[in-house]
Amino acid sequence: MNQNTSIRKVAIVGYNRIPFARANTAYSNVGNQQMMIAALDGLIDKYHLNGKLLGEVAGGAVIKHTYDSNLMRECVMKTNLDPATPACDLQQACDTGIESAVYIANKIALGQIDSGIAGGVDSISDIPMAVSENLRKLLLEARQAKSLGGKIKTFLKIRPKDLSPLVPRNEESQTGLSMGGHTEITAKYYKISREDQDQFALRSHLNMAKAYDEGFFDDMITPFNGLEKDNNLRKDSTIEKLAKLKPAFDKVNGTLTAGNSTPLTDGASCILLASEEWAKEQGLPILAYITFAEIAAIEYVKKQQNLLLAPLFAASRMLEKAGLNLQDFDYYEIHEAFAAQTLATLKIWESPELSKEIGLKKTLGAIDREKLNVKGSSLAAAHPFAATGGRIIGVMAKLLNEKGSGKGFISICAAGGQGVTMIIEK
Ligand SMILES: CC(=O)SCCNC(=O)CCNC(=O)[C@H](O)C(C)(C)COP(=O)(O)OP(=O)(O)OC[C@H]1O[C@@H](n2cnc3c(N)ncnc32)[C@H](O)[C@@H]1OP(=O)(O)O
C-alpha cells in the first residue's frame, strides 16, 4: 500500500471477449491460455495497447491445469503488451471476473496503478484431471524412494481402483449438491414455477438475439476459432420447445431444465480500467465509472435453498453505503446462473416476509423488469464461469455510454454461497 490518501475515479475504458461456446463444441481443441490470449489480443488491438506497459493484469479461471498456476502472467507474455506488465491470478468461483475488476479498480483508486486489465476465462472442454489420492501418495512415495527396488515396491502397491482419475466436480463439498441441485431447492422453496423460469429463459434469448441483430455486440466480440457469435443463443427458441425439456437435476419433481439453466461453457472476456488521467493521455474513451462494489457470503448448508442468494446481502450493504434505493438505476444486470435463482432474487426483494425471513434489514422492493438484462444474459450467452463478470461489466458500460448518463446495478452470484454487486455510473 502506498501513502496516497486521495481516492481516484475508476474509468471503464474498454471491453472485449471471444464468443462463448457450449462445452465440447467450437473450443474443444483449445484451452484457457489460447482463449484468454485471444480476448486480450482483441482488447489490445481495439484500444491501441500494442507495446504498452500497463499497471497490472488480473484475472483467472475457476478450473485450471496445474501448469497454468501463473495463467494470467503466461497470457500477458504471449500478447503484444509490454512484457514488463505484471499479472496476478485470482479465483473466486463465478465471481472471479467481477472480483478481478474490483481488485484492479481498487489499485487504480488508490493510485497504485494507472491502468489495468481484469479478465476471466474458463474451459469445460479442457478440464484438468488429477490422479486419485491413493495414487498421488504412492507416486510421491516412489519419487522419494532411494533405489529402483524401493520404487518398484511402491508401484506394486497400486490397485486398479487407484487408477480412476479425479475430475473437477460442479458441486458444493459442504452439501454434496450441484449448483443445479441447490437451485432446484431454491425453486421449490421460493415457489418459482417452471413456466416463469421458461419465460425468463426465453426472454434472455430474445433480448440477446435482438441485440445481435441491432449490432450491439459488433464492437464487443472478437471472433475466435471459427466462431463469430455465442453458439448457445437460440433465435428459434419458443416457450413450447422450452416446456418440452425434461428436468435436469430432479428428474421426478424438478423444474430446472437445460433450457432454463446455463449450460457448461468455454470462453474468455476482459475489460480495460484506468484512471481518468491515463485514459485522457492515451486518447481513449471513458465509457463509465465503477463507483461501488460489495461482496457478501451466506450460510447454505442448513439453508440449502440460499446457495446463490448472497448478492441480496451485498446489494443491501452497497446501496446503504451509496445512499441509493434499488429503484434508482437505469439498467440492472443480474447474472442468470439459473432462471430460478434470478427470479428468487427478484421475489425476495419484492416480499417483506421473504426479505425478513432470509435476514435482510429491509425490503428493497421491486425493480422495473424492463430494465433488467436488456441485451440478454447468461441463459442466452452461456456462462464460462470466470468470464461472465467481464461480459456483464462490458455490457453495462456500453449501455450507459450509449445512454449518455445514468446508473447501472450489477449482481453476480457464485458457488460457495458468495456474491458480488457493483454500481457503474456515467
Ligand atoms: C454461480 C453460478 O453461475 S452457478 C451455475 C454454474 N453452472 C452450472 O451449474 C451448469 C448447469 N448446467 C448443466 O449442468 C447442464 O447444462 C445441464 C445438466 C442443465 C444440461 O445438460 P445437458 O443435458 O447435457 O444439456 P444439452 O445441451 O444436451 O441440452 C439438452 C436438450 O435441451 C435442449 N435445449 C437446451 N437449451 C434449449 C433452449 N433454450 N431451447 C430449446 N431447447 C433447448 C438441447 O437442444 C437438448 O436437446 P436434445 O436432447 O434434443 O439435443
Side-chain angles (χ1 to χ4, degrees):
M1 168 92 61
N2 63 21
Q3 294 304 304
N4 188 352
T5 49
S6 60
I7 300 291
R8 301 192 298 179
K9 289 177 88 173
V10 179
I12 304 172
V13 177
Y15 40 67
N16 192 54
R17 69 177 176 93
I18 57 171
F20 291 170
R22 296 170 72 89
N24 306 310
T25 61
Y27 303 157
S28 56
N29 61 338
V30 294
N32 282 338
Q33 276 206 28
Q34 289 101 321
M35 290 192 291
M36 192 69 247
I37 291 165
L40 289 169
D41 275 341
L43 187 85
I44 291 163
D45 279 355
K46 214 186 304 179
Y47 300 99
H48 316 296
L49 303 175
N50 275 288
K52 290 252 158 75
L53 178 68
L54 299 187
E56 192 167 354
V57 175
V62 177
I63 301 173
K64 64 183 183 182
H65 292 274
T66 44
Y67 58 71
D68 269 342
S69 61
N70 216 359
L71 175 67
M72 297 309 280
R73 177 71 183 134
E74 291 283 334
C75 290
V76 165
M77 293 293 289
K78 291 170 188 165
T79 65
N80 288 326
L81 286 176
D82 183 325
T85 300
C88 158
D89 269 37
L90 297 170
Q91 201 269 62
Q92 212 244 72
C94 300
D95 283 334
T96 299
I98 192 168
E99 276 290 87
S100 300
V102 172
Y103 172 92
I104 292 290
N106 286 347
K107 285 200 169 190
I108 292 170
L110 287 173
Q112 293 172 354
I113 57 174
D114 293 319
S115 61
I117 294 174
V121 59
D122 257 294
S123 170
I124 301 294
S125 303
D126 183 40
I127 50 168
M129 280 189 188
V131 296
S132 70
E133 190 53 13
N134 208 29
L135 181 58
R136 190 180 70 83
K137 285 193 176 131
L138 290 170
L139 290 173
L140 282 174
E141 195 182 308
R143 202 163 162 251
Q144 281 154 12
K146 299 224 161 30
S147 65
L148 183 61
K151 284 185 199 298
I152 291 170
K153 212 171 141 192
T154 307
F155 285 138
L156 287 173
K157 291 188 214 164
I158 296 171
R159 297 286 165 267
K161 69 173 168 41
D162 298 332
L163 300 176
S164 311
L166 289 181
V167 289
R169 296 174 74 94
N170 180 16
E171 67 181 32
E172 291 293 342
S173 65
Q174 301 278 321
T175 61
L177 289 171
S178 68
M179 302 292 117
H182 270 279
T183 310
E184 266 299 353
I185 299 171
T186 310
K188 290 187 181 97
Y189 190 88
Y190 293 106
K191 301 189 172 59
I192 310 296
S193 71
R194 165 77 187 264
E195 197 189 347
D196 285 352
Q197 292 175 53
D198 287 349
Q199 285 288 359
F200 191 75
L202 180 65
R203 176 183 182 273
S204 187
H205 283 270
L206 296 181
N207 281 357
M208 182 158 273
K210 185 161 176 277
Y212 263 113
D213 287 347
E214 290 169 355
F216 182 81
F217 296 113
D218 285 358
D219 72 338
M220 302 195 85
I221 299 179
T222 306
F224 177 62
N225 223 31
L227 201 60
E228 293 194 348
K229 289 182 175 178
D230 306 308
N231 72 7
N232 183 58
L233 176 65
R234 288 167 194 256
K235 279 190 162 190
D236 60 346
S237 209
T238 64
I239 200 69
E240 292 75 24
K241 282 184 191 167
L242 285 163
K244 281 194 186 124
L245 298 177
K246 292 201 171 74
F249 301 100
D250 173 352
K251 309 268 183 213
V252 184
N253 297 312
T255 54
L256 273 70
T257 67
N260 60 39
S261 309
T262 48
L264 295 165
T265 314
D266 306 331
S269 73
C270 51
I271 54 169
L272 177 62
L273 303 178
S275 66
E276 286 183 298
E277 301 74 31
W278 187 90
K280 280 177 193 152
E281 270 165 33
Q282 306 296 318
L284 290 171
I286 292 178
L287 305 173
Y289 296 95
I290 295 179
T291 52
F292 288 88
E294 189 80 25
I295 183 167
I298 193 167
E299 196 289 322
Y300 63 91
V301 179
K302 291 192 196 106
K303 297 189 176 176
Q304 298 183 340
Q305 70 274 13
N306 291 338
L307 177 76
L308 298 182
L309 301 181
L312 289 164
F313 292 85
S316 291
R317 291 207 292 262
M318 180 177 76
L319 293 171
E320 200 174 332
K321 286 178 191 167
L324 292 169
N325 293 314
L326 184 59
Q327 292 68 32
D328 292 339
F329 294 88
D330 300 276
Y331 298 108
Y332 302 84
E333 282 289 325
I334 303 182
H335 163 47
E336 301 164 342
F338 300 90
Q341 140 274 328
T342 319
L343 291 169
T345 301
L346 300 177
K347 193 166 184 178
I348 295 166
W349 274 337
E350 289 167 10
S351 158
E353 294 76 30
L354 293 177
S355 294
K356 191 170 170 213
E357 191 208 291
I358 203 168
L360 295 175
K361 278 203 279 186
K362 66 175 195 182
T363 315
L364 294 190
I367 62 165
D368 178 353
R369 293 193 188 191
E370 291 297 309
K371 298 176 178 173
L372 171 64
N373 299 352
V374 294
K375 303 298 177 187
S377 188
S378 311
L379 287 166
H383 172 41
F385 311 129
T388 286
R391 177 187 68 74
I392 287 180
I393 295 172
V395 167
M396 184 62 90
K398 180 160 181 175
L399 282 169
L400 291 171
N401 187 46
E402 282 186 352
K403 188 171 184 299
S405 67
K407 292 186 181 59
F409 172 97
I410 290 175
S411 166
I412 304 185
C413 58
Q418 306 209 83
V420 174
T421 55
M422 182 179 270
I423 295 175
I424 296 186
E425 297 184 56
K426 175 81 181 176

